[in-house]
Amino acid sequence: GAVVSQHPSWVICKSGTSVKIECRSLDFQATTMFWYRQFPKQSLMLMATSNEGSKATYEQGVEKDKFLINHASLTLSTLTVTSAHPEDSSFYICSARGYIRGSNEQFFGPGTRLTVL
Amino acid sequence: SQKIEQNSEALNIQEGKTATLTCNYTNYSPAYLQWYRQDPGRGPVFLLLIRENEKEKRKERLKVTFDTTLKQSLFHITASQPADSATYLCALDKDTGGFKTIFGAGTRLFVKA
């Protein structure tokens, strides 16, 4: 099946620094990529939707200047958490949607655990 | 607003029994519904998709039903195994053309040997 990778798988940073997380679709071109955040024992919360070459669409309550999303190509999207604070510590998951075998399917990455000290 | 509800309490069952998980939704008429499995510290893994015009879908030991009148989906795992222990998420796509998927909080399943 299609594979979506994320890098890094975990990161620990100091408060005030910025962290970049990459999401790649490895064997298909993703027309749309999504970024989710998940707190312990809670559901995945959609943060934003990004299409290649255009600005991301953010969900209500998500600060676009805090969570910068760049969808540079059909296989790569990045999420940058700027000036990270301890409350940004969470599990960030990306997903990629594209046409595979004639069907528009969605695949999720393995997630990135961010810990802000 | 759209809401997806799954039983937040963990489900404990004995190996070999059938596990049944429930997903209810409100203020919504999805074209299809999906079930995912999520293991701790991992991203969700797609299991099954059922469309609004389908009553039931099966895949190996998994069975999903979809009742658009009750606004409910049931997810069954027959002959459950300890390896089935995980969190199971119900998901619906916002039918806006952008195909945004929203998730329920998930139900944690524990299968005891």
Side-chain angles (χ1 to χ4, degrees), chain A residues 52-113:
Chain A
E52 184 263 341
S54 63
K55 290 184 179 180
T57 302
Y58 290 81
E59 295 298 301
Q60 191 173 8
V62 178
E63 300 175 59
K64 61 180 181 180
D65 295 329
K66 172 77 171 177
F67 300 99
L68 301 178
I69 293 172
N70 182 278
H71 194 154
S73 73
L74 285 171
T75 60
L76 173 64
S77 176
T78 61
L79 168 68
T80 300
V81 183
T82 62
S83 187
H85 292 284
E87 58 265 29
D88 298 324
S89 299
S90 187
F91 192 49
Y92 292 87
I93 304 171
C94 75
S95 72
R97 191 182 279 270
Y99 282 92
I100 301 167
R101 298 179 293 273
S103 173
N104 193 325
E105 298 190 28
Q106 182 177 11
F107 297 90
F108 285 81
T112 296
R113 172 75 59 193

Coordinates of all heavy atoms in Angstrom, one line a residue, chain A residues 52-113:
Chain A
E52 N -0.9 21.5 -2.8 CA 0.4 21.9 -3.4 C 0.3 23.2 -4.1 O -0.6 23.5 -4.9 CB 0.8 20.8 -4.4 CG 2.2 21.0 -5.0 CD 2.1 21.6 -6.4 OE1 1.1 21.5 -7.0 OE2 3.2 22.2 -6.8
G53 N 1.2 24.1 -3.8 CA 1.3 25.4 -4.4 C 0.4 26.5 -4.0 O 0.4 27.6 -4.5
S54 N -0.5 26.2 -3.0 CA -1.4 27.2 -2.5 C -1.3 27.3 -1.0 O -0.7 26.5 -0.3 CB -2.8 26.9 -2.9 OG -3.2 25.7 -2.4
K55 N -1.9 28.3 -0.5 CA -1.9 28.6 1.0 C -2.7 27.5 1.7 O -3.8 27.1 1.2 CB -2.4 30.0 1.3 CG -1.4 31.1 0.9 CD -2.0 32.4 1.4 CE -1.0 33.5 1.0 NZ -1.5 34.9 1.5
A56 N -2.3 27.2 2.9 CA -3.0 26.2 3.7 C -4.3 26.8 4.2 O -4.4 28.0 4.5 CB -2.2 25.7 4.9
T57 N -5.3 26.0 4.4 CA -6.6 26.4 5.0 C -6.6 25.9 6.5 O -6.5 24.7 6.7 CB -7.8 25.8 4.3 OG1 -7.7 26.2 2.9 CG2 -9.1 26.3 4.9
Y58 N -6.7 26.8 7.4 CA -6.6 26.4 8.8 C -8.0 26.3 9.4 O -8.9 27.0 9.1 CB -5.8 27.5 9.6 CG -4.4 27.5 9.3 CD1 -3.9 28.2 8.1 CD2 -3.4 26.9 10.1 CE1 -2.5 28.2 7.8 CE2 -2.1 26.9 9.7 CZ -1.6 27.5 8.6 OH -0.3 27.6 8.3
E59 N -8.1 25.3 10.3 CA -9.4 25.1 11.1 C -9.5 26.2 12.1 O -8.5 26.9 12.5 CB -9.4 23.8 11.8 CG -9.4 22.6 10.8 CD -10.6 22.6 9.9 OE1 -11.7 22.5 10.4 OE2 -10.4 22.6 8.6
Q60 N -10.7 26.4 12.5 CA -11.0 27.5 13.5 C -10.3 27.2 14.8 O -10.2 26.1 15.3 CB -12.5 27.5 13.8 CG -13.0 28.7 14.6 CD -14.5 28.7 14.7 OE1 -15.2 27.8 14.3 NE2 -15.0 29.8 15.2
G61 N -9.6 28.3 15.3 CA -8.9 28.2 16.5 C -7.4 27.8 16.3 O -6.7 27.8 17.3
V62 N -7.0 27.5 15.1 CA -5.6 27.2 14.9 C -4.9 28.4 14.4 O -5.3 29.0 13.4 CB -5.5 26.0 13.9 CG1 -4.0 25.7 13.6 CG2 -6.2 24.8 14.4
E63 N -3.8 28.9 15.1 CA -3.1 30.1 14.7 C -2.2 29.8 13.5 O -1.2 29.1 13.6 CB -2.3 30.6 15.8 CG -3.1 30.9 17.1 CD -2.1 31.3 18.2 OE1 -1.3 32.2 18.1 OE2 -2.1 30.6 19.3
K64 N -2.5 30.5 12.4 CA -1.7 30.2 11.2 C -0.3 30.8 11.3 O 0.7 30.3 10.6 CB -2.4 30.8 9.9 CG -2.6 32.3 10.0 CD -3.3 32.8 8.7 CE -3.5 34.3 8.7 NZ -4.1 34.8 7.5
D65 N -0.1 31.8 12.1 CA 1.3 32.3 12.3 C 2.1 31.5 13.3 O 3.3 31.6 13.3 CB 1.2 33.8 12.8 CG 0.6 34.7 11.8 OD1 0.7 34.4 10.6 OD2 -0.1 35.7 12.2
K66 N 1.4 30.7 14.0 CA 2.1 29.8 15.0 C 2.5 28.5 14.3 O 3.5 27.9 14.5 CB 1.1 29.5 16.1 CG 1.5 28.4 17.1 CD 2.6 29.0 18.0 CE 2.8 28.0 19.1 NZ 3.9 28.5 20.0
F67 N 1.6 28.0 13.4 CA 1.8 26.7 12.8 C 1.9 27.0 11.3 O 0.9 27.0 10.6 CB 0.7 25.7 13.1 CG 0.5 25.4 14.5 CD1 -0.4 26.1 15.3 CD2 1.3 24.5 15.1 CE1 -0.6 25.8 16.7 CE2 1.2 24.2 16.5 CZ 0.3 24.8 17.3
L68 N 3.1 27.1 10.8 CA 3.3 27.5 9.4 C 3.4 26.2 8.5 O 4.1 25.3 8.9 CB 4.7 28.2 9.2 CG 4.8 29.5 10.0 CD1 6.1 30.2 9.8 CD2 3.7 30.5 9.6
I69 N 2.6 26.2 7.5 CA 2.5 25.0 6.6 C 2.9 25.4 5.2 O 2.5 26.4 4.7 CB 1.1 24.4 6.6 CG1 0.8 23.8 8.0 CG2 1.0 23.4 5.5 CD1 -0.7 23.4 8.2
N70 N 3.8 24.6 4.7 CA 4.3 24.8 3.3 C 4.2 23.5 2.6 O 4.6 22.4 3.0 CB 5.8 25.2 3.4 CG 6.3 25.5 2.0 OD1 6.7 24.6 1.2 ND2 6.3 26.7 1.6
H71 N 3.5 23.6 1.4 CA 3.3 22.4 0.6 C 4.0 22.6 -0.7 O 3.4 23.0 -1.7 CB 1.8 22.2 0.4 CG 1.4 20.8 -0.1 ND1 0.1 20.3 0.1 CD2 2.1 19.9 -0.8 CE1 0.1 19.1 -0.4 NE2 1.2 18.9 -1.0
A72 N 5.3 22.3 -0.7 CA 6.2 22.8 -1.7 C 6.0 21.9 -3.0 O 6.3 22.4 -4.1 CB 7.6 22.7 -1.3
S73 N 5.7 20.7 -2.8 CA 5.6 19.8 -4.0 C 4.4 18.8 -3.7 O 3.8 18.8 -2.7 CB 6.9 19.0 -4.2 OG 7.1 18.0 -3.2
L74 N 4.2 17.9 -4.7 CA 3.1 17.0 -4.6 C 3.5 15.8 -3.7 O 2.6 14.9 -3.4 CB 2.7 16.4 -6.0 CG 1.9 17.4 -6.9 CD1 1.7 16.8 -8.3 CD2 0.5 17.6 -6.2
T75 N 4.7 15.8 -3.2 CA 5.1 14.7 -2.3 C 5.6 15.2 -0.9 O 6.0 14.4 -0.1 CB 6.2 13.9 -2.9 OG1 7.3 14.7 -3.2 CG2 5.7 13.2 -4.2
L76 N 5.6 16.5 -0.7 CA 6.2 17.1 0.5 C 5.4 18.2 1.1 O 5.0 19.2 0.4 CB 7.6 17.5 0.3 CG 8.3 18.3 1.4 CD1 8.5 17.3 2.6 CD2 9.6 18.8 1.0
S77 N 5.1 18.1 2.4 CA 4.5 19.2 3.1 C 5.2 19.3 4.4 O 5.7 18.3 5.0 CB 3.0 18.9 3.4 OG 2.4 20.0 4.2
T78 N 5.4 20.6 4.9 CA 6.1 20.8 6.2 C 5.2 21.6 7.1 O 4.5 22.5 6.7 CB 7.5 21.5 6.0 OG1 7.2 22.8 5.4 CG2 8.4 20.7 5.1
L79 N 5.3 21.3 8.4 CA 4.7 22.0 9.4 C 5.8 22.6 10.3 O 6.6 21.8 10.9 CB 3.8 21.1 10.2 CG 3.2 21.7 11.6 CD1 2.2 22.8 11.3 CD2 2.5 20.5 12.4
T80 N 5.8 23.9 10.5 CA 6.8 24.5 11.4 C 6.0 25.1 12.6 O 5.1 25.9 12.4 CB 7.6 25.6 10.7 OG1 8.3 25.0 9.6 CG2 8.6 26.2 11.6
V81 N 6.4 24.6 13.8 CA 5.8 25.1 15.0 C 6.7 26.3 15.4 O 7.9 26.0 15.8 CB 5.7 24.1 16.1 CG1 5.1 24.6 17.4 CG2 4.9 22.9 15.6
T82 N 6.3 27.5 15.3 CA 7.2 28.6 15.6 C 7.1 29.0 17.1 O 6.0 28.9 17.7 CB 6.8 29.8 14.8 OG1 5.5 30.2 15.1 CG2 6.9 29.5 13.3
S83 N 8.2 29.4 17.7 CA 8.3 29.8 19.1 C 7.5 28.9 19.9 O 6.5 29.2 20.6 CB 7.7 31.3 19.2 OG 7.9 31.7 20.5
A84 N 7.9 27.6 19.9 CA 7.2 26.6 20.6 C 7.2 26.8 22.1 O 8.2 27.3 22.7 CB 7.8 25.2 20.3
H85 N 6.1 26.4 22.7 CA 5.9 26.5 24.2 C 5.5 25.1 24.7 O 5.0 24.3 23.9 CB 4.9 27.6 24.5 CG 5.4 29.0 24.2 ND1 6.3 29.6 25.1 CD2 5.1 29.8 23.2 CE1 6.6 30.8 24.6 NE2 5.9 30.9 23.5
P86 N 5.6 24.9 26.0 CA 5.2 23.6 26.5 C 3.8 23.1 26.1 O 3.6 21.9 25.9 CB 5.4 23.8 28.0 CG 6.5 24.7 28.1 CD 6.2 25.7 27.0
E87 N 2.9 24.0 26.0 CA 1.5 23.7 25.6 C 1.4 23.2 24.2 O 0.3 22.6 23.8 CB 0.5 24.8 25.9 CG 0.9 26.1 25.1 CD 1.7 27.1 25.9 OE1 2.4 26.6 26.8 OE2 1.5 28.3 25.7
D88 N 2.5 23.4 23.4 CA 2.5 22.9 22.0 C 2.9 21.4 22.0 O 2.8 20.8 20.9 CB 3.4 23.7 21.1 CG 3.0 25.1 21.0 OD1 1.7 25.4 21.0 OD2 3.8 26.0 21.0
S89 N 3.4 20.9 23.1 CA 3.8 19.5 23.1 C 2.6 18.6 22.8 O 1.5 18.7 23.4 CB 4.3 19.1 24.5 OG 5.4 19.9 24.9
S90 N 2.8 17.8 21.8 CA 1.7 16.9 21.3 C 2.2 15.9 20.3 O 3.4 15.9 20.0 CB 0.6 17.8 20.7 OG -0.6 17.1 20.4
F91 N 1.3 15.1 19.8 CA 1.6 14.2 18.8 C 1.0 14.8 17.5 O -0.2 15.0 17.4 CB 0.9 12.8 19.1 CG 1.4 11.7 18.3 CD1 2.7 11.4 18.1 CD2 0.4 10.8 17.7 CE1 3.1 10.3 17.4 CE2 0.8 9.7 17.0 CZ 2.2 9.4 16.8
Y92 N 1.9 15.0 16.5 CA 1.4 15.6 15.3 C 1.5 14.6 14.2 O 2.4 13.9 13.9 CB 2.4 16.8 14.9 CG 2.2 18.0 15.8 CD1 3.0 18.0 17.0 CD2 1.3 19.0 15.6 CE1 2.8 19.1 17.9 CE2 1.2 20.1 16.4 CZ 1.9 20.1 17.6 OH 1.7 21.2 18.5
I93 N 0.3 14.5 13.5 CA 0.2 13.4 12.4 C -0.2 14.1 11.1 O -1.1 15.0 11.1 CB -0.9 12.4 12.8 CG1 -0.6 11.8 14.2 CG2 -1.1 11.3 11.8 CD1 -1.7 11.0 14.8
C94 N 0.4 13.7 10.1 CA 0.0 14.2 8.8 C -0.7 13.1 8.0 O -0.5 11.9 8.3 CB 1.2 14.7 8.0 SG 2.2 13.4 7.3
S95 N -1.5 13.5 7.0 CA -2.0 12.5 6.1 C -2.0 13.1 4.7 O -1.9 14.3 4.5 CB -3.5 12.1 6.5 OG -4.3 13.2 6.2
A96 N -1.9 12.2 3.7 CA -1.8 12.6 2.3 C -2.9 11.9 1.6 O -3.2 10.7 1.7 CB -0.5 12.2 1.8
R97 N -3.6 12.7 0.7 CA -4.6 12.1 -0.1 C -4.2 12.2 -1.6 O -3.8 13.3 -2.0 CB -5.9 12.8 0.1 CG -7.2 12.2 -0.5 CD -8.4 13.0 -0.2 NE -9.0 12.8 1.1 CZ -9.9 11.9 1.4 NH1 -10.3 11.1 0.5 NH2 -10.3 11.8 2.6
G98 N -4.4 11.1 -2.3 CA -4.1 11.2 -3.7 C -4.8 10.0 -4.5 O -5.4 9.2 -3.9
Y99 N -4.7 10.1 -5.8 CA -5.4 9.0 -6.6 C -4.4 7.8 -6.7 O -3.3 7.9 -7.3 CB -5.8 9.6 -8.0 CG -7.0 10.4 -7.9 CD1 -7.0 11.8 -7.7 CD2 -8.3 9.8 -8.0 CE1 -8.1 12.5 -7.6 CE2 -9.4 10.5 -7.9 CZ -9.3 11.9 -7.7 OH -10.5 12.7 -7.6
I100 N -4.9 6.7 -6.2 CA -4.1 5.5 -6.2 C -5.0 4.4 -6.8 O -6.1 4.2 -6.2 CB -3.6 5.1 -4.8 CG1 -2.7 6.2 -4.3 CG2 -2.8 3.8 -4.9 CD1 -2.4 6.1 -2.8
R101 N -4.6 3.8 -7.8 CA -5.4 2.7 -8.5 C -6.8 3.2 -8.8 O -7.8 2.5 -8.6 CB -5.4 1.5 -7.6 CG -4.1 0.8 -7.3 CD -4.3 -0.4 -6.4 NE -4.7 0.0 -5.0 CZ -3.8 0.4 -4.1 NH1 -2.5 0.4 -4.3 NH2 -4.3 0.7 -2.9
G102 N -6.8 4.5 -9.3 CA -8.1 5.1 -9.7 C -9.0 5.5 -8.6 O -10.1 6.0 -8.8
S103 N -8.6 5.4 -7.4 CA -9.4 5.8 -6.2 C -8.7 6.9 -5.4 O -7.5 6.8 -5.2 CB -9.7 4.6 -5.4 OG -10.4 4.9 -4.2
N104 N -9.5 7.9 -5.0 CA -9.0 8.9 -4.1 C -8.9 8.4 -2.7 O -9.9 8.4 -2.0 CB -9.9 10.2 -4.2 CG -9.2 11.4 -3.6 OD1 -8.5 11.3 -2.7 ND2 -9.4 12.5 -4.2
E105 N -7.7 8.1 -2.3 CA -7.5 7.5 -0.9 C -6.6 8.4 0.0 O -5.9 9.2 -0.5 CB -6.9 6.1 -1.1 CG -7.7 5.1 -1.9 CD -7.2 3.7 -1.8 OE1 -6.6 3.3 -0.8 OE2 -7.4 2.9 -2.7
Q106 N -6.7 8.1 1.2 CA -6.0 8.9 2.2 C -5.2 8.0 3.1 O -5.6 6.9 3.5 CB -7.0 9.7 3.1 CG -6.3 10.6 4.1 CD -7.4 11.4 4.9 OE1 -8.5 11.1 4.8 NE2 -6.9 12.3 5.7
F107 N -3.9 8.4 3.3 CA -3.0 7.6 4.1 C -2.4 8.5 5.2 O -2.1 9.6 4.9 CB -1.9 6.9 3.3 CG -2.5 6.0 2.2 CD1 -2.9 6.4 1.0 CD2 -2.7 4.6 2.6 CE1 -3.4 5.5 0.1 CE2 -3.2 3.7 1.6 CZ -3.6 4.2 0.4
F108 N -2.2 7.9 6.3 CA -1.6 8.6 7.5 C -0.2 8.3 7.7 O 0.3 7.2 7.5 CB -2.4 8.3 8.7 CG -3.8 9.0 8.7 CD1 -4.8 8.4 8.1 CD2 -4.0 10.2 9.4 CE1 -6.1 9.1 8.0 CE2 -5.2 10.8 9.4 CZ -6.3 10.2 8.7
G109 N 0.6 9.3 8.1 CA 1.9 9.1 8.5 C 2.0 8.5 9.9 O 1.0 8.4 10.6
P110 N 3.2 8.1 10.4 CA 3.4 7.5 11.7 C 3.3 8.4 12.9 O 3.3 8.0 14.0 CB 4.7 6.8 11.6 CG 5.5 7.7 10.6 CD 4.5 8.2 9.6
G111 N 3.3 9.7 12.6 CA 3.3 10.7 13.7 C 4.6 11.2 14.1 O 5.6 10.5 14.0
T112 N 4.6 12.4 14.7 CA 5.8 13.0 15.3 C 5.5 13.5 16.7 O 4.5 14.3 16.9 CB 6.3 14.2 14.5 OG1 6.7 13.8 13.2 CG2 7.5 14.9 15.2
R113 N 6.2 13.0 17.7 CA 6.0 13.4 19.1 C 6.9 14.6 19.4 O 8.1 14.5 19.3 CB 6.4 12.2 20.0 CG 6.4 12.6 21.5 CD 5.0 12.7 22.0 NE 4.3 11.4 21.8 CZ 2.9 11.3 22.0 NH1 2.2 12.4 22.4 NH2 2.3 10.2 21.8

